[in-house]
């Protein structure tokens, strides 16, 4: 009996090992000139000449391998936000905390154990480089059935975007000669990498259920997200499954993520506007434009 049980355990472990994969990405982190908000052309930080950086996908149990080459003129690191990095803090990417920065022109390989399923993001963790574009969603699919059945994933990532690079602005804010508190900043809100007013419409098929993975990849600003006329059933918060909870909308602080299932109406006779509102307590209230 013991031998049979041991054989089953070994076979299961072998099968799990065979199913896991090494998901490999080559990232050349460098500067590029972009106009993401529709108004301002400025220098930013991207990967392989792209911004927004394409989302990264894996399955629970995989090893995510990111080969980084630093083409910047300053050190860099990346951090998988929301993964615990148990026993591997040296792969956590927190610059000058768990890792020295990757020097300009040098390489470093991150090996990240995708041991949690859920919605996460990867971002620069050195000198606030995430504010200048070094950030992208990370989705880790589960090998178990979801808390609530759905037909399709919809990924929505939200960002604040300033018309200037973060370094000079940070120097102004931190200067002992600057007024305190500093004057409010007015970033643009981006939806899936571009100005939220210009982003691609979200397409529904009547009666289908959609899992919205919503990520606030901002640094200081909050977002409210809703689909007026539809209810959202939350099934995941920050990488942790939850009992389905029905809400009218989501309120996301910097770095927060939610998954919510939305059921499309049975007719396509109407179009609906979805709402992604950027706000913060230091942004002056504008009636009809941002919440208090």
């Amino acid at each position: 009996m013991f031998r049979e049980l041991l054989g089953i355990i070994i076979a299961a472990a072998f099968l799990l090992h065979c199913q896991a994969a090494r998901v490999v990405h080559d990232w050349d982190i460098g500067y590029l000139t972009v106009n993401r908000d529709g108004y301002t052309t400025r220098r930013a930080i991207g990967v392989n000449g792209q911004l927004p950086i394409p989302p990264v996908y894996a399955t629970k149990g995989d090893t995510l391998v990111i080969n980084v080459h630093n083409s910047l003129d300053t050190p860099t690191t990346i951090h998988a936000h929301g993964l615990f990095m148990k026993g591997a803090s040296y792969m956590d990417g927190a610059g000058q905390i768990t890792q020295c920065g990757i020097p300009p022109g040098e390489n470093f390989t991150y090996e990240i154990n995708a041991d949690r399923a859920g919605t996460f993001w990867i971002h620069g963790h050195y000198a606030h480089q995430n504010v200048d574009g070094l950030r992208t969603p990370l989705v880790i699919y589960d090998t178990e059935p979801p808390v609530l059945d759905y037909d399709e994933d919809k990924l929505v990532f939200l960002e604040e975007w300033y018309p200037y690079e973060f370094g000079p602005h940070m120097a102004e804010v931190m200067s002992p000669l600057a007024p305190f508190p500093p004057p409010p900043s007015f970033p643009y809100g981006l939806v899936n990498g571009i100005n939220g007013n210009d982003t691609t419409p979200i397409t529904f098929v009547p009666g289908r259920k959609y899992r919205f993975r919503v990520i606030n990849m901002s640094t200081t600003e909050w977002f409210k997200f809703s689909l007026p006329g539809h209810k959202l059933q939350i099934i995941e918060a920050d990488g942790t499954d939850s009992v389905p909870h029905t809400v009218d909308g989501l309120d996301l602080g910097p770095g927060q993520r939610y998954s919510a299932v939305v059921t499309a109406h049975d007719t396509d006779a109407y179009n609906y506007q979805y709402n992604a509102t950027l706000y913060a307590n230091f942004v002056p209230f504008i009636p009809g434009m941002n919440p208090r």
Side-chain angles (χ1 to χ4, degrees):
M1 181 67 180
F2 174 76
R3 290 183 177 179
E4 292 177 357
L5 180 60
L6 181 61
I8 293 173
I9 293 173
I10 293 174
F14 178 76
L15 180 61
L16 181 63
H17 177 74
C18 290
Q19 290 176 336
R22 288 176 66 84
V23 180
V24 181
H25 292 268
D26 295 324
W27 277 20
D28 185 353
I29 298 175
Y31 297 113
L32 66 165
T33 301
V34 297
N35 183 338
R36 303 184 74 193
D37 53 36
Y39 300 98
T40 308
T41 299
R42 51 156 292 195
R43 189 174 78 159
I45 299 176
V47 167
N48 301 334
Q50 291 182 280
L51 193 64
I53 302 166
V56 175
Y57 298 93
T59 302
K60 184 178 178 181
D62 289 349
T63 299
L64 177 60
V65 180
I66 303 180
N67 301 308
V68 172
H69 175 75
N70 182 11
S71 290
L72 304 174
D73 57 9
T74 185
T76 191
T77 64
I78 60 171
H79 167 72
H81 191 110
L83 297 183
F84 296 143
M85 311 302 292
K86 295 177 182 178
S89 60
Y90 47 88
M91 291 291 174
D92 193 47
Q96 304 305 110
I97 300 174
T98 60
Q99 178 192 353
C100 295
I102 306 167
E106 296 297 326
N107 305 306
F108 185 84
T109 295
Y110 291 89
E111 294 208 9
I112 300 167
N113 182 15
D115 57 357
R116 300 181 69 199
T119 309
F120 310 94
W121 57 302
I122 298 173
H123 61 82
H125 211 300
Y126 196 99
H128 302 284
Q129 291 168 356
N130 57 313
V131 188
D132 289 327
L134 186 51
R135 52 193 179 191
T136 192
L138 167 61
V139 175
I140 301 178
Y141 294 113
D142 208 338
T143 55
E144 301 295 329
V147 173
L148 200 64
D149 287 337
Y150 60 92
D151 300 302
E152 186 180 338
D153 265 20
K154 295 285 188 181
L155 180 61
V156 178
F157 51 98
L158 310 169
E159 303 171 72
E160 92 278 62
W161 188 250
Y162 291 92
Y164 41 74
E165 291 184 58
F166 188 78
H169 181 60
M170 185 69 174
E172 292 176 2
V173 171
M174 298 301 293
S175 170
L177 302 178
F180 186 85
S185 55
F186 296 94
Y188 294 99
L190 305 184
V191 179
N192 290 354
I194 62 174
N195 187 309
N197 295 319
D198 300 324
T199 193
T200 303
I202 297 171
T203 303
F204 278 0
V205 173
R208 287 176 66 86
K209 293 183 178 181
Y210 297 91
R211 176 178 182 161
F212 274 76
R213 298 179 183 266
V214 186
I215 309 172
N216 181 0
M217 302 198 309
S218 296
T219 306
T220 54
E221 276 75 16
W222 291 60
F223 273 92
K224 288 184 180 293
F225 178 84
S226 62
L227 294 95
H230 297 77
K231 295 291 186 179
L232 294 85
Q233 290 184 281
I234 295 174
I235 60 170
E236 177 217 348
D238 293 338
T240 300
D241 288 343
S242 71
V243 174
H245 180 66
T246 302
V247 297
D248 293 317
L250 307 173
D251 200 1
L252 300 101
Q256 283 192 298
R257 298 91 61 205
Y258 281 108
S259 283
V261 174
V262 177
T263 301
H265 295 316
D266 290 330
T267 175
D268 60 0
Y270 303 100
N271 290 326
Y272 296 84
Q273 288 186 329
Y274 67 88
N275 174 57
T277 302
L278 178 150
Y279 75 102
N281 60 3
F282 51 81
V283 174
F285 173 67
I286 304 173
M289 295 297 294
N290 58 1
R292 287 190 182 276

